[in-house]
Amino acid sequence: MRSVAEHRSIVADLLRPRPLVESPLAEALGLASARDITAPLSLPGFDNSAMDGYAVVAADVAAATDATPVRLPVAADIPAGRVDGPPLRPGTAHRIMTGAPVPPGADAIVPVELTDGSTGTVAFFGSTEPGRHIRLAGGDVRAGEVVLTAGRCLGAPQLGLLSALGLPTVTVFPPLRVLVLSTGSELVRPGEPLQHGQIHESNGIMLASAVREAGALAEQRAFVADDPDAFLSALRSADVDLVLTSGGVSAGAYEVVKDTLSTRGVEFAKVAMQPGMPQGAGIFDGVPIVTLPGNPVSALVSFEVFVRPALLRAMGFADTERSRSVAELTQPVRSPQGKRQFQRGVHDRSAGTVHPIGPPASHHLRWLAASNCLLEIPEDVTEMPAGATISVWDLDD
């Protein structure tokens, strides 16, 4: 059998990034930055007020108390956005708003709450010290600093930072385009009546959703019956970066994916894991193709183990793995000798424990839907007692 690590490497080597693009910030959410980003200017770009209040020389209000207020004439009004504020003369105050530039000569801001709020002559009921309530130029970012490194996922705060730096676009890796194709003559669309021996198709929406959650673009094609010509037609009409199939890869008869592609550039192998032993990967008509088992738990676990990290890597993300930790088992688990098992579980992060749920068989989809993690049991371990620590893949990160 092929090891999990070997098959992960094979799948990862299939996928290649698309050419980099310069994206408007509004279209870059969830993509990976392609280059280190250096600040073209400092943030803030000037000393500004952190409070609504009055700009003063701290020494001028040093004696101010509730009982003996200090009164100063208000010589100017400085709202946010004013660009021509005059210098502050000692013995005076400037009324100032949050974000407005601190006038030359001022060394502190007194919040309006410590004054009577007047606009002519203002009374101060408390003292301050130099530098108080002033946001210094460059206190957040200095021009020339690297603010985001290549491979960083661009979320709301990252895009906000780039916009604050005056950058209208960012160089990114575009998302990969993935065709998700389920196979099987037994499959029926959800909402349509079933005949005996038929099942509703579920892998398509499940895998397409997993592709989208990873940041790629998913095209969910209607499933195809176990017909080689129909299957090849569906593949050849695809203009994508990856074809992801489910079903038709086992050792029995009517395995349309394996029968059709085993002589067309796709290698099929047994991988030492449970669930998800039958796997395939290769290049068909110049397009990478990864073939997953048809049982739904096997399909999604295989996606998590092999496809998701490969997609993220090809889309430029520095972090390609699920968050992993160790947790204490609440009950014993068993695993077959020689296979890496991925069991479903509920991870209580606050308690540091994990509770295995459901049978290990690959058709028990309800238990996968109820889990928030996968428990990883190595190939050379056949049983672990309650209280043992086990490796956990968090699925909710």
Side-chain angles (χ1 to χ4, degrees), residues 217-238:
L217 304 175
E219 176 189 348
Q220 184 185 346
R221 190 76 60 85
F223 53 86
V224 296
D226 294 326
D227 180 296
D229 290 337
F231 179 58
L232 285 173
S233 177
L235 295 182
R236 286 171 173 153
S237 64

Side-chain angles (χ1 to χ4, degrees), residues 251-278:
Y254 306 106
E255 302 294 342
V256 65
V257 176
K258 187 175 182 180
D259 294 344
T260 304
L261 296 179
S262 59
T263 58
R264 291 180 168 89
V266 178
E267 182 182 6
F268 294 86
K270 293 180 179 180
V271 178
M273 65 182 287
Q274 186 187 59
M277 182 176 68

Side-chain angles (χ1 to χ4, degrees), residues 80-285:
R82 182 171 179 178
V83 298
D84 61 346
L88 177 78
R89 299 191 309 275
T92 69
H94 288 182
R95 192 171 71 147
I96 193 168
M97 302 300 121
T98 301
V102 176
D107 65 5
I109 306 296
V110 178
V112 67
E113 292 84 357
L114 294 181
T115 74
D116 64 1
S118 296
T119 58
T121 298
V122 59
F124 293 89
F125 302 108
S127 62
T128 188
E129 59 273 351
R132 185 69 171 164
H133 300 308
I134 293 177
R135 301 167 178 161
L136 296 177
D140 185 14
V141 174
R142 292 189 179 277
E145 280 188 296
V146 173
V147 291
L148 292 176
T149 55
R152 180 64 185 267
C153 181
L154 297 172
Q158 291 77 33
L159 294 172
L161 173 60
L162 298 183
S163 185
L165 289 168
L167 300 174
T169 63
V170 58
T171 306
V172 296
F173 291 86
L176 265 61
R177 302 159 299 171
V178 182
L179 170 63
V180 176
L181 186 61
S182 302
T183 66
S185 297
E186 75 279 16
L187 302 178
V188 174
R189 299 175 190 274
E192 295 183 0
L194 296 175
Q195 297 183 40
H196 183 70
Q198 294 181 326
I199 61 173
H200 286 126
E201 198 280 325
S202 60
N203 284 352
I205 184 63
M206 181 173 65
L207 292 173
S209 298
V211 166
R212 295 182 185 115
E213 285 180 346
L217 304 175
E219 176 189 348
Q220 184 185 346
R221 190 76 60 85
F223 53 86
V224 296
D226 294 326
D227 180 296
D229 290 337
F231 179 58
L232 285 173
S233 177
L235 295 182
R236 286 171 173 153
S237 64
D239 180 20
V240 292
D241 305 297
L242 170 67
V243 173
L244 186 62
T245 71
S246 64
V249 296
S250 295
Y254 306 106
E255 302 294 342
V256 65
V257 176
K258 187 175 182 180
D259 294 344
T260 304
L261 296 179
S262 59
T263 58
R264 291 180 168 89
V266 178
E267 182 182 6
F268 294 86
K270 293 180 179 180
V271 178
M273 65 182 287
Q274 186 187 59
M277 182 176 68
Q279 300 285 338
I283 303 289
F284 172 77
D285 277 3

